[in-house]
Structure formats: C-alpha cells, structure tokens
Amino acid sequence: MTDRKIMPVDQCGAVSGCMASPQSYASYIRFGEPTPKRVAAHATEALETARKKDVEAHERNAAAIENNKLVRADIEIFMSKVGMPKSFQTKNPRSFRRTITNEAGYIGDIKRSVPIDDGFASATVTYNGLKVKYDAFAAEAARADDIAREAAEAEEQRKRAERLENIEFAKIILRYGMKDDAEWSDVLKELRGRDKRLDLALAMEDTRGDWSEGFYRVRYAIDRFKLETDQDKEILADILPLLSGDEEDGRVFRDTTWNYNALYQLVEDKQLVTDARLARQKANRE
C-alpha cells in the first residue's frame, strides 16, 4: 500500500440552477422593459456563467480525481493480494434454485467514499440541452427586435411623409388662395377649373388608366371645354370622333394627335400642371 489518501472532489452542477425556460429570466430584469432581446441576453449570460463555474470546478478536481483513482486501485490491489473476493453469493428468497450475486462491501465503500466523478459529464449534457433552447430563444428575440425596429422605422417614415405632404398641401393652399379647411379633392376641382386644357388632359389620362366605365370623364370635360380659338376647334375635332367610335379603349387618348401629353404641353403654367396631378393622386387616396 502507498501513503496516498482520499482527496475531496467538488461536485459540478451550477448549470442545474439555470432556468429550464429562458423566458423565465424576464423577472430578473430590474430596470427598463424586459424585451425579448434583453431577456435572451440575461439568460445567456446566466447560462455561460454557470458553465464557467462547472468548467473551473472540473479543472480544480482533475488532480483529486486522478489521485482517487489511484487510491481505488491501491485498495483493489491490496484486497486482491489478501484474497478478498469482489462479490459473494446469497440465496434468492424468491427462488430456492437460484442465487444472487452481491457486490463485496469494500467495493460499495470505495464507490461511496472515494469519489472519482464530479458530475461534469452530466452537467455538460444539461448545459448543451439548455444552450440549444437559449440560442433558439435568442435568435427569435433578435428577429422580433429587427421586426420592431423595422416597424418603428416605417412609422417614422410614414410620419415624415405625412409632414412633408402637409407642408406641400399648405404651399398649394397658399399658392392658390384657397381656404385652409379644403381637402385634396377641393384642390383638384379648383385647379382643373383654372385651365380647360389641363382639365381635359387629366380626364383623358384618367380614362387611359381605367376605361372600365367608358369615356364619361372625357365627355364631361368636353362639356366644360369652351371654344375660344382655332386651336380649341382642332383639339375637339381630334377628340370628339373618339367618343363615338366602335371600340372604347382608353389607349386612344394616348395615341391621338392631341393626346393628354400634348395638352399638358399647352398649359403655360407648369406649376399648375404639377400641382393638379399631385392633387389628383392625393384625392384618389382620400
């Protein structure tokens, strides 16, 4: 026998104190909102801290475990030398013909009193299982955070567009001396009334975009169109036959001589054209 003595072995298992569900760490967030991302970070930190403790404990146990393995070997060698068997037989109380193999007492004493397992393998299994769940939760939290951020950015862009639209609307109201309680539809009606060619061009372009209900827009615009010049006569002479054609296809107002683009060019006030087309776009959304 040698003079080796049994050394104590600290058990690993700090990870067993971690929550089974990472969401449970929400109650640990003391300040601020426990967002999924913050909870995930806290849970991951707790798990990794526990794992570090287990690893450090296992490293400290290394020498003691190796020593105790040698102690066990010394005992087993000594017992073998003196002829001590590792097991013995007893009768099976349930069967007179059978016996039970029992472990020698010293074997149980060795297992109980000379530790060579610090639970690190079991702690590692626990850690790996928790890490899968924690990582999945962290990934989901990151996606939720991205979605929330994108939603906030979209809302900010919407508000900015709304502010810019309000500014543009105010400019148009001031530009044309309209009442401040006007709607975009009121603006469109006002601007169309300021130039008959603009009015007709808008009607033709609208019909080009949707002629499912016929050419009524163009007909109404022509009813409002007052003949004042020879050019006015040329315009109506070009467009009127299209209204009584056999085929009602709005693309004719794009392809005819005095199409809507040509009429827009005739409007001297280009700002009026720009404002009217913007007002039509906004009015269609009201």
Side-chain angles (χ1 to χ4, degrees):
M1 292 287 289
T2 67
D3 58 355
R4 277 188 287 267
K5 296 184 180 297
I6 300 171
M7 295 179 65
V9 173
D10 296 328
Q11 287 297 301
C12 301
V15 293
S16 63
C18 294
M19 298 291 186
S21 172
Q23 294 93 324
S24 300
Y25 283 97
S27 61
Y28 286 70
I29 306 298
R30 300 301 182 190
F31 303 100
E33 182 183 357
T35 62
K37 191 171 183 179
R38 291 186 65 196
V39 173
H42 191 95
T44 298
E45 182 181 3
L47 179 62
E48 294 305 325
T49 298
R51 174 60 175 177
K52 182 180 179 182
K53 289 180 180 178
D54 285 342
V55 171
E56 291 174 347
H58 184 59
E59 291 174 349
R60 289 195 303 270
N61 288 332
I65 289 174
E66 290 305 313
N67 173 81
N68 290 351
K69 286 180 180 179
L70 294 175
V71 170
R72 285 192 177 194
D74 288 344
I75 296 173
E76 290 175 354
I77 291 172
F78 174 79
M79 289 299 188
S80 177
K81 285 182 176 180
V82 299
M84 183 68 69
K86 292 185 177 182
S87 63
F88 62 93
Q89 304 292 321
T90 59
K91 290 183 178 181
N92 189 335
R94 297 182 180 181
S95 174
F96 292 106
R97 297 182 180 180
R98 296 182 181 180
T99 60
I100 299 175
T101 299
N102 301 279
E103 192 175 64
Y106 80 89
I107 297 295
D109 291 339
I110 289 175
K111 292 180 179 180
R112 182 173 54 257
S113 303
V114 189
I116 59 172
D117 180 13
D118 60 0
F120 184 70
S122 177
T124 298
V125 171
T126 300
Y127 167 77
N128 290 335
L130 290 176
K131 183 168 176 57
V132 170
K133 291 166 50 174
Y134 282 35
D135 287 350
F137 178 71
E140 183 179 344
R143 286 194 297 272
D145 192 64
D146 290 340
I147 291 172
R149 184 178 64 256
E150 290 171 1
E153 292 174 353
E155 176 63 13
E156 180 57 32
Q157 291 178 357
R158 186 194 67 77
K159 290 181 178 179
R160 182 174 182 276
E162 187 177 287
R163 289 194 298 271
L164 293 175
E165 181 176 304
N166 290 338
I167 293 173
E168 190 63 33
F169 185 74
K171 288 180 180 179
I172 291 176
I173 291 295
L174 293 173
R175 187 178 296 135
Y176 299 102
M178 299 182 65
K179 295 181 179 180
D180 57 10
D181 61 349
E183 302 290 343
W184 278 111
S185 56
D186 301 322
V187 172
L188 177 60
K189 182 178 180 180
E190 170 68 23
L191 301 190
R192 293 184 78 150
R194 289 177 176 250
D195 192 294
K196 62 187 180 184
R197 294 174 178 179
L198 171 63
D199 181 32
L200 181 55
L202 289 170
M204 293 167 65
E205 189 172 28
D206 286 343
T207 303
R208 161 65 184 88
D210 177 15
W211 62 88
S212 60
E213 298 183 19
F215 293 168
Y216 73 93
R217 300 181 187 87
V218 179
R219 289 190 177 93
Y220 292 162
I222 287 178
D223 290 341
R224 297 189 295 267
F225 196 92
K226 294 182 179 180
L227 289 174
E228 297 174 316
T229 67
D230 290 338
Q231 189 177 59
D232 291 343
K233 295 178 182 179
E234 292 177 10
I235 293 171
L236 290 189
D238 180 48
I239 297 174
L240 281 172
L242 303 178
L243 301 180
S244 57
D246 294 335
E247 182 180 358
E248 288 195 349
D249 187 329
R251 287 173 292 188
V252 297
F253 300 114
R254 176 197 64 189
D255 302 330
T256 193
T257 301
W258 286 107
N259 56 65
Y260 46 82
N261 286 323
L263 293 182
Y264 284 138
Q265 293 300 318
L266 294 179
V267 181
E268 294 182 2
D269 188 347
K270 302 306 178 187
Q271 184 64 56
L272 178 63
V273 174
T274 300
D275 292 342
R277 298 181 83 174
L278 175 62
R280 175 182 58 184
Q281 175 187 344
K282 300 301 183 182
N284 289 337
R285 289 166 43 190
E286 288 182 343

